[in-house]
Amino acid sequence: MNSFSLRQKISAFAIFMAGAAALAPFTACSSGSETANGTGSNAGETEIASTIVVTSPNGAPLARAAARIWSMNENAIEVEISDTLDQNGQLKFATNLSGQHLLESHLGDSLSVMRWVDFGKQPSQTLAAAASVSLKGHILNNGAAVEGANVSILDKKATTNANGEFSFTGIPEGVHYAYVEGFFGRFTYQMQTGLDSTETTNNIDIADSIFTVIEDFENWRSRRTLIGRSFGQGWWFICTDSLQGGGSHMTPQHIESDEILVTGEAAKTGSSFHIVFDLNEDYNGHYGVAGFTIANDYYMAKSGTYEGYGLFDLRAATAISFDAKGKGELFLQVVKRGPDIEGNPAPGDSGFVDEREYHHTEGILLNDEWTHYTLTADDFGTELYEVNSINFLAEEDAEFFLDNIRLDGISPAMWPSLGKDF
């Protein structure tokens, strides 16, 4: 384990407490408050019975609607189970599926809903359908439009026109995993509904290397990461040493503030993240943090509210990259957690210790120009294994503008297979 200064350890402790905010009366570290949507973990092989209930927007059963369970891999997203809801909007089935799968239900092209769940536990899901929506985007190659590329979302297909444009209608609202195929090969990308032509998630340049977007700050109402909006995890938070009695401040003071996003000339593209840290240098261990979990928390598991995975194996990532500008020095930190670090018992077992390791890069001196930064596992001095959160750390006064945070070398289709439990 690397050695760390007191302020770095305190910083990571504050980051942990952000994930467990419901367990203590801290107010300086703020995270999103929307309830997560996933189900449990521990994928099993035994056939289990599950019940899905789908309602209309007003809560009435969505009787006789189609219901499907999809599996995603590098080549395609495929239907594992296809059925019809009964008159009570229920679907009961038995399956030996394990891991993350997509539950999707639709009534024609008018109402639809989807949610990723882990079939290692018996999923009892109630889904509220909403009006089906559209999704638009562009396919580019080194900035030039690609005509004739085939784009697939669920069982719908579209082909790009001479301007590289494509569109879908009648799909569930949310983050979709689209397969794009052409002369360049076949790749998966994340795409969002509800974006216009000024926002970049659906504007894919196939000249880029393989990547998974963690966050681009477009359509960011829930304060989850882009990945989190799919899988029910991934919360953003901000905090300072005021958790430990220090006198540091941040602007804005809460992650829910509308002021935390900037647009127009101040942004890189669309919307960008912005925070200012005014640190109390007289306090031993002063710090400021803007970060996000990519997984959930052991204490949620222990309390019986655990949903989704606790850790992610990011060793396949060639880098963590992002765009940034501002003032002062920025450190990128990963927090590794779990019993495997020290061979401890599992959560709930006698003697379990929730071990943490905190690893950060050398400081990056920011300036007024947007710059793309690429940091590898070597920059952290550790394997990117059992990662729970990724954080932007300030140890002196600083101003951070952030955008387009992603995992290079990891395809979106890989993500459901990378999660693991404590």
Side-chain angles (χ1 to χ4, degrees):
M1 180 183 294
N2 291 0
S3 60
F4 304 97
S5 67
L6 175 62
R7 71 182 62 172
Q8 291 155 1
K9 290 183 178 180
I10 291 174
S11 169
F13 172 76
I15 291 165
F16 150 68
M17 288 312 302
L23 303 180
F26 294 133
T27 58
C29 194
S30 66
S31 62
S33 58
E34 184 179 314
T35 303
N37 282 337
T39 61
S41 44
N42 292 328
E45 299 299 330
T46 303
E47 187 172 275
I48 57 175
S50 305
T51 301
I52 307 302
V53 179
V54 183
T55 70
S56 65
N58 63 9
L62 199 66
R64 305 304 178 188
R68 297 180 289 190
I69 298 173
W70 299 78
S71 294
M72 184 168 68
N73 56 50
E74 286 295 295
N75 296 317
I77 185 167
E78 299 173 333
V79 175
E80 292 281 355
I81 297 174
S82 182
D83 210 327
T84 303
L85 303 177
D86 66 17
Q87 67 273 14
N88 297 315
Q90 292 188 354
L91 173 66
K92 296 182 179 180
F93 57 93
T95 178
N96 59 0
L97 292 176
S98 62
Q100 293 274 3
H101 296 270
L102 181 67
L103 281 170
E104 175 255 340
S105 181
H106 64 276
L107 189 62
D109 282 345
S110 59
L111 292 173
S112 57
V113 65
M114 63 180 183
R115 182 179 300 170
W116 285 89
V117 298
D118 190 316
F119 278 83
K121 283 188 176 180
Q122 180 173 327
S124 296
Q125 296 284 328
T126 298
L127 311 181
S132 297
V133 296
S134 62
L135 183 151
K136 299 179 181 180
H138 295 80
I139 305 298
L140 310 171
N141 181 14
N142 284 314
V146 175
E147 183 178 7
N150 297 313
V151 185
S152 302
I153 292 180
L154 298 177
D155 58 347
K156 294 180 179 291
K157 300 183 184 299
T159 302
T160 57
N161 62 19
N163 298 319
E165 300 168 334
F166 65 89
S167 64
F168 290 88
T169 59
I171 62 175
E173 181 181 6
V175 178
H176 288 270
Y177 289 77
Y179 290 80
V180 180
E181 185 173 18
F183 64 87
F184 42 81
R186 183 177 178 86
F187 302 100
T188 57
Y189 298 96
Q190 299 137 289
M191 297 183 181
Q192 295 184 66
T193 61
L195 299 184
D196 62 30
S197 60
T198 67
E199 296 162 316
T200 60
T201 304
N202 303 337
N203 297 331
I204 303 300
D205 196 319
I206 55 92
D208 288 347
S209 58
I210 295 172
F211 63 90
T212 293
V213 179
I214 297 175
E215 186 53 74
D216 62 0
F217 303 105
E218 317 299 348
N219 208 12
W220 196 54
R221 294 186 299 269
S222 69
R223 270 48 179 178
R224 283 186 188 156
T225 63
L226 185 66
I227 292 174
R229 292 198 292 278
S230 294
F231 296 101
Q233 305 175 164
W235 292 101
W236 274 88
F237 54 85
I238 54 176
C239 55
T240 69
D241 53 67
S242 56
L243 282 171
Q244 291 78 41
S248 297
H249 302 281
M250 58 190 179
T251 304
Q253 299 181 15
H254 199 281
I255 194 71
E256 299 289 347
S257 171
D258 292 338
E259 297 177 359
I260 209 161
L261 293 185
V262 296
T263 58
E265 293 183 359
K268 171 67 175 179
T269 51
S271 299
S272 299
F273 184 96
H274 177 232
I275 191 167
V276 178
F277 292 111
D278 181 10
L279 303 187
N280 178 14
E281 296 183 7
D282 293 331
Y283 180 76
N284 185 22
H286 54 273
Y287 68 87
V289 165
F292 53 87
T293 64
I294 60 172
N296 278 322
D297 196 272
Y298 156 64
Y299 291 91
M300 296 173 65
K302 191 173 182 180
S303 67
T305 60
Y306 183 72
E307 298 177 334
Y309 294 126
L311 308 163
F312 276 85
D313 181 354
L314 305 184
R315 287 176 293 180
T318 57
I320 300 174
S321 65
F322 57 94
D323 295 322
K325 70 174 183 177
K327 299 176 182 177
E329 198 169 24
L330 177 155
F331 300 84
L332 190 63
Q333 180 188 65
V334 294
V335 180
K336 297 168 65 173
R337 298 179 63 181
D340 287 354
I341 291 175
E342 300 292 344
N344 294 315
D349 293 345
S350 175
F352 175 82
V353 177
D354 183 19
E355 294 287 343
R356 297 180 186 82
E357 291 182 359
Y358 317 122
H359 302 264
H360 68 85
T361 64
E362 296 293 327
I364 296 170
L365 190 61
L366 300 176
N367 57 58
D368 291 337
E369 298 295 327
W370 281 103
T371 304
H372 187 71
Y373 297 97
T374 301
L375 302 170
T376 69
D378 290 340
D379 293 307
F380 294 97
T382 186
E383 284 189 312
L384 299 180
Y385 180 62
E386 294 189 330
V387 177
N388 179 263
S389 60
I390 301 173
N391 314 302
F392 297 89
L393 169 67
E395 295 190 333
E396 306 295 340
D397 289 353
E399 180 178 23
F400 296 167
F401 291 84
L402 304 170
D403 210 338
N404 301 323
I405 304 163
R406 69 189 200 182
L407 293 169
D408 296 322
I410 290 181
S411 163
M414 296 169 61
W415 191 254
S417 67
L418 300 180
K420 60 178 294 186
D421 293 324
F422 288 102

